[in-house]
DNA sequence: CAGGCAGTTTGCGATAGCGCAAAACGGGCC
DNA sequence: GGCCCGTTTTGCGCTATCGCAAACTGCCTG
């Protein structure tokens, strides 16, 4: 059994509606594993043998085209599940998962899923909610890519990262894991060059402070304004 | 009870694993309704009071930005469910559904869902698969929007429409419901002008034949080639 | 049968963002 | 402490695509 204090994870969305005393039984089926920074957890196209609950660290889920281009599907924060391929009826993982920081996850074998949801229907319901939320986020992302220009999309992406994985600093919010310009480009459908130019511009206006794989939002409010500004209602 | 022959819908994905004799009980909770062409079935933001199974016709699900721009989330074909907001834990519909052709749908009240899935767990499992598939499709769409240029995206969109709702014609495949250039633009993240130019070009090459809200793929194979061609490996 | 209208086509700039290339930078490793 | 490599910055031309405007067309309506 995984050596994890049940009290620390009982409140997670995945376990909503599960009796605390049942949690043990669920965790008994899991093991935990450590993934050092920059190691792959699973590869796109590989058989989905496990599903995961991230305990510590951060995981990047990315999808690759036949020609090698990548997009970042999402960043997984602690407390979130990932690798749910089997729950949605996929035999293979549709994306690659990589630890972007030293990470720890609970791992259940795919084969345990049918038994678990039969015994604890709340798990199925919670997972449905999670998948549904991700679907809506995807649609929002498509909407943004269709209607906004790059600067706005980058602003939205940073704000989301900040609210999901932001760490309060003296002045502003720092994104709590290493993230490159390239990564942000792959989240917003642009190129690292364009992201670099945008961040440079923001930096000179004091909106952000950034460096090697590191971004601090110095003035989140102004970034919100940027994110929402209608392109042609720009400053005089 | 809805006057629908159970034998006609028993094979639908939604009912996979449901005993034919149970189908009656499920249908007893539903009513059916007719939606004339161009009528709204529900509006984005409205309380999700029902969920739907399309029997005949075609339905367009679209999302609108605060500034009024729209994207087409998907076209619903007969046999597919839509308006599943409640299944994924959303109290309001995240998009607007409109009949693009005279349509008929089965309608269940949202309130029936918990009882139905308790009594027929296969419904929940099937819906999970459906939602999961849509999530993957969304990710594919994001990938395309990020990595392909407009012409390729339009090619992919038409091929998908053709395989989902294509009707065989003497020469080629006709998309079986009225769809405008604007609609295609909203599916691919471009403008109706650009779509019009692209289709004009294809028409002069004999790849498609099209008119007012009507598109026939005359040479699907060549369109597949266009869809997959790497932009810089273009013809000499 | 004549309008009228929604949908479509097309021309013509304007430009946001790309792509290439090269230089600067910063950190970690030996 | 110095070197090496991955990341970032920036210049510069290029072009795919947009945006506006105007003309056109086929349908449906009265």
């Amino acid at each position: 059994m995984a050596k994890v204090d049940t009290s620390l994870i009982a409140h997670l969305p995945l376990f909503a509606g599960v009796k605390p005393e049942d949690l043990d039984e669920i965790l008994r089926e899991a093991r935990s594993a450590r993934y050092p920074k920059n190691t792959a957890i699973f590869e796109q196209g590989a058989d989905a043998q496990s599903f995961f609950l991230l305990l510590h660290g951060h995981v990047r889920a990315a999808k690759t085209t036949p020609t090698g281009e990548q997009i970042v599907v999402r960043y997984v924060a602690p407390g979130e599940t990932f690798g749910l391929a089997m729950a949605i009826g996929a035999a293979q993982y549709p994306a690659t998962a990589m630890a972007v920081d030293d990470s720890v996850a609970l791992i259940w074998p795919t084969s345990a899923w049918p038994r678990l949801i039969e015994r604890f229907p709340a798990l199925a319901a919670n997972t449905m909610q999670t998948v549904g939320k991700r679907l809506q986020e995807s649609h929002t992302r498509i909407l943004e890519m269709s209607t906004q220009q790059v600067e706005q999309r980058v602003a939205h992406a940073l704000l989301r990262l900040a609210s999901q994985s932001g760490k309060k600093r003296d002045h502003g919010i720092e994104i709590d894991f290493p993230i490159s310009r390239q990564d942000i480009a792959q989240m917003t459908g642009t190129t690292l060059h364009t992201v670099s130019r945008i961040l440079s511009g923001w930096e000179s206006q004091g909106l952000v402070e950034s460096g090697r794989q590191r971004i601090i939002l110095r003035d989140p409010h102004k970034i919100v304004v940027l994110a929402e500004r209608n392109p042609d209602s720009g400053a005089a």
Side-chain angles (χ1 to χ4, degrees), chain A:
Chain A
M1 166 186 171
K3 295 175 198 125
V4 177
D5 188 342
T6 58
S7 70
L8 292 177
I9 63 173
H11 69 284
L12 298 178
L14 174 61
F15 299 122
V18 173
K19 298 199 207 77
E21 59 267 32
D22 288 338
L23 208 46
D24 272 340
E25 183 177 340
I26 296 172
L27 293 182
R28 205 169 297 136
E29 310 244 8
R31 64 191 179 87
S32 76
R34 224 185 123 263
Y35 298 96
K37 184 171 172 172
N38 292 327
T39 52
I41 299 175
F42 55 77
E43 298 277 348
Q44 175 174 342
D47 286 341
Q49 291 170 335
S50 315
F51 63 96
F52 304 79
L53 173 62
L54 187 63
L55 296 178
H56 297 299
H58 287 275
V59 169
R60 190 182 95 125
K63 222 168 149 59
T64 307
T65 64
T67 59
E69 292 144 306
Q70 286 198 333
I71 61 154
V72 171
V73 172
R74 68 185 181 112
Y75 279 92
V76 183
E80 297 182 345
T81 51
F82 65 102
L84 297 179
M86 88 292 137
I88 61 174
Q92 286 87 33
Y93 295 114
T96 294
M98 153 117 38
V100 295
D101 239 352
D102 291 349
S103 299
V104 178
L106 286 179
I107 311 178
W108 285 263
T110 288
S111 56
W113 179 248
R115 184 165 10 111
L116 284 173
I117 61 170
E118 195 195 355
R119 193 140 164 50
F120 308 106
L123 289 182
N126 296 337
T127 301
M128 178 66 120
Q129 302 245 135
T130 299
V131 174
K133 186 168 290 182
R134 289 185 200 161
L135 179 58
Q136 291 197 55
E137 287 164 358
S138 288
H139 288 160
T140 300
R141 189 162 160 189
I142 291 171
L143 192 65
E144 285 179 6
M145 289 187 63
S146 299
T147 61
Q148 304 183 333
Q149 36 193 147
V150 173
E151 186 174 32
Q152 296 173 58
R153 302 204 302 263
V154 171
H156 273 121
L158 290 189
L159 290 171
R160 264 181 228 120
L161 288 173
S163 78
Q164 186 207 29
S165 303
K167 175 181 162 193
K168 265 197 190 117
R169 303 287 263 125
D170 281 4
H171 296 289
I173 304 172
E174 176 166 7
I175 289 166
D176 203 21
F177 55 86
I179 185 166
S180 70
R181 309 289 185 259
Q182 175 79 65
D183 292 321
I184 293 170
Q186 290 172 346
M187 296 180 72
T188 52
T190 182
T191 64
L192 89 156
H193 305 277
T194 297
V195 171
S196 180
R197 284 180 238 274
I198 288 172
L199 289 186
S200 291
W202 289 356
E203 185 134 24
S204 67
Q205 295 170 58
L207 302 185
V208 303
E209 181 187 326
S210 73
R212 209 187 172 68
Q213 309 206 105
R214 199 177 57 89
I215 301 178
I216 302 173
L217 308 191
R218 282 283 176 231
D219 193 340
H221 180 67
K222 280 200 185 139
I223 296 176
V224 170
V225 173
L226 272 184
E228 276 161 13
R229 143 144 111 234
N230 182 320
D232 45 56
S233 72

